[in-house]
Every structure is written in structure tokens, then in C-alpha cells.
């Protein structure tokens, strides 16, 4: 079971007990990578790297859908975990949790990113947009509307990620042809095979945005 970052009793109890074996093992993978990268950067800059205890919490300020959220996170926590389980922004889905399906796609500084492969600490300082952030008040944004209009889903599990990938594509390409849409959406899998309708929806969303319905 994963600890609640804002539960101080849980944090204090864990610190008293020391790091569990499981916590040590699960933290090591990310910790080693982050430590290596930090060491390289610091070595280049001629600085002594700061080393966080394996079970330490870091306070990060995440800009999500135009609002800043200050949260306590473990260095190993993914952005997808923090969005869903800490901030309860459950529009972002987790499918594979290892960078294969695209269900967790969000925008970071306008670019589609897999939230399951992004550490929450890494996302600080960027503008994050989730599927909730594409709403226009109570109304759907153009990409969301186009997916409904073109019936571009069956079970709907991949749809949040598809919509965010489409939004990212349309922010750089206003009038994509079919090949460009396929290429732009190629990081997002749909087990229901709704691809033909997804392509239609992305082109319809492009039309709507050109007509002034941009989010
Ligand atoms: S859940 Fe992130 S890519 Fe599959
Ligand atoms: S609509 Fe079911 S996985 Fe895409």
C-alpha cells in the first residue's frame, strides 16, 4: 500500500521505523537514475550534489490546469500517481504504467508526455494540462466534442490519453492530413481498435479549432 503524502502520522511512523525492505527496493531504481543524473549535472557545474534520504518527502509546486498545487511527494512517485491518487484528477488514466500505451498522456509545456514515466519532481516548473483542463467551464473543449461527435471510442479507457495527444498535435499542426494525424497519435494505443474514428475526430477537432473553437 502506498502512503498518503499528506498524512503526517504515517510519515512520522515510517521515519521512526526506518525504511522498509520493499520501500528500499522500490526506491532504489528511480533513486539510482536520479542520483546519477544529478551527479553528472552537479559535476559539470562543479557543485556538491544534494542527496535526499530514500524515504524523504520533497515539497513540489505543480502547475496543473492553470492552478498551483503544493504537494509532498516521494522522489520516486510518478506524475500519474500524484495526479490521480494525491490530487484526485482521475481523468488521466493508467494502463500499462510503463510507457507503452499512452493512456496517461498529459501536456507539459504544450507537449504530450507519458505521466507514468514522468516523475512528479521532474514536472515542477512546467505547465501541466490534463483532460480536465480542456473543459470550457461546463462545456467540452473542441477535441473532446469532436471525439463525441465522431464516436471515437468504445470502452473509453484510452480516450483521455488520445484526446491529450490530439490536443498536443493540434497545437503545433492546425490542419493535419491523415498521415500526420496517424503519426502524431502513434504513441497512443486503443485496444478497442477505434482508430478510424479517432483519425476522423482529430481532423474534425482541427476544423473546429480553425473555426474559432480553440480551447
Ligand atoms: S500508462 Fe503510461 S504509457 Fe501506458
Ligand atoms: S476505446 Fe477502448 S481502448 Fe480505446
Amino acid at each position: 500500500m502506498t502512503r498518503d503524502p499528506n498524512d503526517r502520522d504515517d510519515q512520522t511512523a515510517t521515519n521512526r521505523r526506518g525504511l522498509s525492505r520493499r520501500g528500499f527496493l522500490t526506491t532504489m531504481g528511480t533513486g539510482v537514475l536520479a542520483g546519477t543524473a544529478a551527479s553528472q549535472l552537479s559535476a559539470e557545474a562543479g557543485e556538491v550534489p544534494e542527496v535526499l534520504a530514500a524515504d524523504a518527502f520533497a515539497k513540489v509546486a505543480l502547475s496543473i490546469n492553470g492552478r498551483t498545487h503544493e504537494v509532498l511527494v516521494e522522489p520516486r512517485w510518478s506524475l500519474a500517481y500524484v495526479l490521480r491518487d494525491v490530487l484526485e484528477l482521475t481523468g488521466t488514466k493508467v494502463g500499462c504504467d510503463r510507457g507503452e500505451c499512452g493512456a496517461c498522456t498529459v501536456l507539459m509545456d504544450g507537449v504530450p508526455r507519458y505521466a507514468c514515466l514522468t516523475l512528479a519532481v521532474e514536472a515542477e516548473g512546467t505547465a501541466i494540462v490534463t483532460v480536465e483542463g480542456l473543459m470550457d467551464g461546463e462545456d467540452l473543449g473542441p477535441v473532446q466534442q469532436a471525439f463525441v461527435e465522431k464516436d471515437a471510442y468504445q470502452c473509453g479507457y484510452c480516450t483521455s490519453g488520445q484526446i491529450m495527444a490530439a490536443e498536443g498535435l493540434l497545437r503545433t499542426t492546425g490542419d493535419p492530413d491523415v498521415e500526420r494525424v496517424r503519426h502524431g497519435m502513434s504513441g497512443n494505443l486503443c485496444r478497442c481498435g477505434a482508430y478510424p474514428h479517432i483519425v476522423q475526430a482529430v481532423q474534425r477537432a482541427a476544423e473546429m479549432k480553425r473555426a474559432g473553437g480553440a480551447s
Side-chain angles (χ1 to χ4, degrees):
M1 188 172 72
T2 309
R3 288 176 291 151
D4 179 343
N6 295 315
D7 185 338
R8 289 178 184 278
D9 291 340
D10 178 63
Q11 184 181 351
T12 304
T14 303
N15 286 340
R16 269 202 309 268
R17 285 195 305 272
L19 185 62
S20 68
R21 179 173 175 276
R22 182 174 180 281
F24 174 79
L25 291 172
T26 52
T27 304
M28 278 304 289
T30 303
V32 167
L33 287 175
T36 304
S39 298
Q40 284 173 348
L41 288 174
S42 299
E44 285 167 16
E47 298 168 358
V48 177
E50 181 187 2
V51 179
L52 280 178
D55 63 344
F57 283 88
K59 186 174 181 182
V60 295
L62 299 176
S63 168
I64 303 167
N65 302 330
R67 185 178 154 204
T68 300
H69 301 261
E70 291 196 341
V71 285
L72 292 172
V73 302
E74 286 188 30
R76 68 190 173 102
W77 285 356
S78 71
L79 177 60
Y81 174 77
V82 172
L83 288 172
R84 290 180 50 80
D85 291 78
V86 177
L87 298 173
E88 299 184 353
L89 290 167
T90 54
T92 300
K93 304 302 180 194
V94 174
C96 64
D97 207 14
R98 57 183 186 187
E100 292 178 355
C101 72
C104 62
T105 303
V106 299
L107 299 186
M108 282 174 59
D109 290 337
V111 178
R113 287 279 297 260
Y114 291 161
C116 73
L117 289 189
T118 303
L119 295 174
V121 291
E122 184 189 352
E124 189 171 35
T126 69
I128 300 160
V129 179
T130 69
V131 73
E132 291 92 343
L134 299 188
M135 296 289 292
D136 180 12
E138 292 296 308
D139 298 325
L140 297 177
V143 181
Q144 295 163 319
Q145 283 180 41
F147 269 67
V148 173
E149 189 181 307
K150 294 296 180 182
D151 201 17
Y153 46 80
Q154 291 182 38
C155 77
Y157 199 81
C158 72
T159 308
S160 299
Q162 302 280 2
I163 287 172
M164 296 314 297
E167 179 71 28
L169 170 65
L170 297 179
R171 287 188 183 191
T172 58
T173 312
D175 188 11
D177 61 19
V178 169
E179 281 312 305
R180 184 73 187 90
V181 173
R182 286 181 179 153
H183 184 265
M185 302 294 291
S186 60
N188 292 72
L189 304 182
C190 174
R191 290 188 67 183
C192 299
Y195 297 112
H197 288 232
I198 289 171
V199 172
Q200 290 173 23
V202 176
Q203 292 197 301
R204 173 67 183 130
E207 268 177 30
M208 294 165 78
K209 281 177 173 275
R210 290 198 301 275
S215 59

